[in-house]
Amino acid sequence: MPKQAQTVHRLLGAQPNSQLLRYHKDNPLLLEVVIIDDASMIDLPMMARLIEALPSHARVILLGDKDQLASVEAGAVLGDIGDICRFSESGYSCERAAQLTKITGYDLSNFISNNGPKVKDRICFLRKSYRFDAQSGIGRLATAINQGNIVHVEQLLAQQNVDINFNSMDWSEKYSKLLFDAAECYRCYLNIITISKDPEEILINFNRYRLLAPLREGPYGVIGLNYKLEQLLHRQENIRRPAYSWNKNYKGRPIMITQNDRTLGLFNGDIGLMLPDNQQNLKAYFKLPNGVIKKIQPTRLPQHETTFIMTVHKSQGSKFDHAALVLPPIFTTILSKELIYTAITRAKNKLTIYADLDIFTKALMTSTERRSGLNEPLL
């Protein structure tokens, strides 16, 4: 069994600045089982290339949340496959029930049925969340959003839930509140920098909170909010931004890698912090998947950007003790039920929302309509 996960691109042997892959139908992968986590993020062309590169005896296990945002590129592979999850209620065939009983020790004789397509034997619909309790405010809000129950959503937002804080925004007055709230939440890890020299401890505390936005551009997007928050933190003397515009680095600056660099072992979406080493020189620190803390000279870093705030798309696969979501004051087509659901399910213990209630509910009534054409062949 492999001890470390890797991206699908890396598995297939993607070449820099090229559409060619090392592994394909004429040079298949040497494996028997491939497990794809967060499969909702894979687009249709990449999934097709993956399936083509598998040997005929291989098995594929897709894990993911069908209700999350689909891939940025074309298709909605897991969403289409997820549509057949309704057949999980049909029960299992006699052979499949016997196999599962042998594996799990549970008596499934009451779930045997000959109704439904054969693909029902290949579906496992996981209902228990280990991120938050189903009866918590966050859990009930996620369920209400998936069910399209807008009335229940509004009731939950109006209640005094200990884990949900909804700020109905009058943007002329509340924009500064949003920034001050975020600054207060980030002050924790910035204070730890002054008393601790352990990069892992600082990284853990930084990743307890994250502000998410659906947009990149504008004052309510990632770029504008990062700029405004940096200004505020600088005025509060929580950070000290350099006086020279060409030098963006400072102690405590959070960065996200936006371009893969295999030689450094850094990939798009990796998050690190600029921290002083023992000689008080700034270095970039990252926690790798194997738990090792990697220190890198700033001049060697691939393309990266400040990331106090990140997009909802980039947050997929992440979880935070406290997640906050800010929506723009004007409705835009990027807002959807899937985006809202993805954002709120990043939170483990606390969720904060900054939005106009009308825009929030309109987004919940807007579903992303994308099809990969997989329903019919699978049924």
Side-chain angles (χ1 to χ4, degrees):
M1 292 292 290
K3 296 181 179 179
Q4 189 171 335
Q6 59 183 307
T7 64
V8 176
H9 287 78
R10 189 176 181 186
L11 172 69
L12 294 177
Q15 307 298 313
N17 304 316
S18 172
Q19 295 296 316
L20 298 178
L21 300 174
R22 183 176 297 113
Y23 297 101
H24 43 78
K25 63 180 179 180
D26 297 321
N27 182 35
L29 292 157
L30 299 176
L31 50 77
E32 296 181 359
V33 179
V34 59
I35 302 173
I36 309 297
D37 194 16
D38 279 319
S40 63
M41 300 172 68
I42 303 180
D43 58 75
L44 185 60
M46 181 53 65
M47 183 65 80
R49 288 185 162 198
L50 172 64
I51 300 301
E52 273 190 341
L54 295 177
S56 58
H57 64 274
R59 296 187 176 215
V60 182
I61 300 174
L62 300 177
L63 301 173
D65 189 337
K66 67 182 180 64
D67 298 310
Q68 283 191 31
L69 281 166
S71 59
V72 176
E73 303 298 334
V77 175
L78 194 66
D80 268 2
I81 295 174
D83 285 345
I84 64 176
C85 282
R86 64 186 185 275
F87 293 110
S88 62
E89 305 292 342
S90 301
Y92 295 112
S93 67
C94 184
E95 295 78 12
R96 183 61 168 164
Q99 182 187 35
L100 291 174
T101 296
K102 182 178 180 180
I103 293 172
T104 65
Y106 285 91
D107 180 10
L108 299 175
S109 57
N110 291 332
F111 294 90
I112 296 175
S113 171
N114 293 320
N115 297 325
K118 292 182 179 180
V119 73
K120 68 181 183 180
D121 280 354
R122 298 292 177 255
I123 300 170
C124 183
F125 192 33
L126 304 176
R127 298 179 182 276
K128 179 176 175 59
S129 171
Y130 290 86
R131 180 169 299 172
F132 45 76
D133 189 282
Q135 298 307 313
S136 66
I138 298 171
R140 288 182 291 152
L141 181 61
T143 300
I145 288 174
N146 272 341
Q147 293 174 345
N149 192 336
I150 304 300
V151 173
H152 192 199
V153 168
E154 292 179 342
Q155 290 173 345
L156 287 169
L157 296 180
Q159 294 173 3
Q160 296 299 316
N161 292 289
V162 295
D163 57 343
I164 299 178
N165 180 18
F166 183 82
N167 294 273
S168 184
M169 299 296 282
D170 175 358
W171 289 105
S172 61
E173 300 177 0
K174 299 291 183 68
Y175 190 82
S176 59
K177 170 179 169 51
L178 157 68
L179 295 174
F180 275 92
D181 287 351
E184 183 64 29
C185 290
Y186 281 127
R187 185 176 290 121
C188 176
Y189 95 90
L190 291 170
N191 287 340
I192 292 175
I193 294 176
T194 63
I195 59 176
S196 175
K197 295 183 179 181
D198 183 1
E200 183 173 16
E201 179 186 3
I202 300 170
L203 281 164
I204 289 173
N205 278 277
F206 169 70
N207 285 316
R208 294 189 191 282
Y209 170 80
R210 191 72 82 254
L211 178 58
L212 308 175
L215 306 176
R216 275 196 57 82
E217 306 291 339
Y220 307 100
V222 167
I223 296 175
L225 286 168
N226 271 313
Y227 178 72
K228 290 291 187 180
L229 185 56
E230 272 191 323
Q231 284 186 319
L232 176 59
L233 290 170
H234 181 76
R235 290 198 304 270
Q236 294 177 339
E237 299 184 350
N238 289 306
I239 63 172
R240 292 185 178 180
R241 293 195 307 167
Y244 304 103
S245 59
W246 54 265
N247 183 10
K248 296 182 179 181
N249 291 327
Y250 52 83
K251 183 169 65 175
R253 182 194 178 200
I255 59 173
M256 176 187 288
I257 300 300
T258 58
Q259 184 180 52
N260 295 343
D261 190 322
R262 293 184 183 179
T263 59
L264 292 176
L266 295 178
F267 300 93
N268 185 14
D270 287 349
I271 293 177
L273 289 174
M274 291 290 183
L275 299 171
D277 61 12
N278 292 333
Q279 287 73 43
Q280 296 303 305
N281 296 315
L282 280 182
K283 298 290 191 298
Y285 289 84
F286 295 85
K287 188 171 184 178
L288 302 182
N290 60 4
V292 173
I293 300 296
K294 187 162 189 173
K295 178 174 65 174
I296 299 174
Q297 187 74 21
T299 54
R300 296 189 61 203
L301 288 172
Q303 290 183 12
H304 56 278
E305 61 187 25
T306 303
T307 186
F308 284 108
I309 295 91
M310 61 193 300
T311 63
V312 178
H313 280 84
K314 285 284 189 181
S315 74
Q316 289 188 91
S318 302
K319 57 184 177 183
F320 310 100
D321 288 344
H322 180 188
L325 170 66
V326 54
L327 297 188
I330 300 175
F331 186 82
T332 174
T333 53
I334 198 173
L335 301 181
S336 67
K337 181 178 75 172
E338 292 79 11
L339 183 138
I340 302 294
Y341 172 80
T342 300
I344 69 168
T345 53
R346 300 310 91 203
K348 292 172 58 179
N349 302 314
K350 186 175 181 180
L351 170 70
T352 302
I353 301 172
Y354 303 91
D356 179 276
L357 183 59
D358 291 338
I359 291 176
F360 187 82
T361 54
K362 185 176 180 180
L364 296 183
M365 293 185 285
T366 305
S367 293
T368 303
E369 297 293 337
R370 293 169 68 177
R371 292 290 180 266
S372 300
L374 294 176
N375 290 20
E376 294 78 7
L378 288 171
L379 291 178

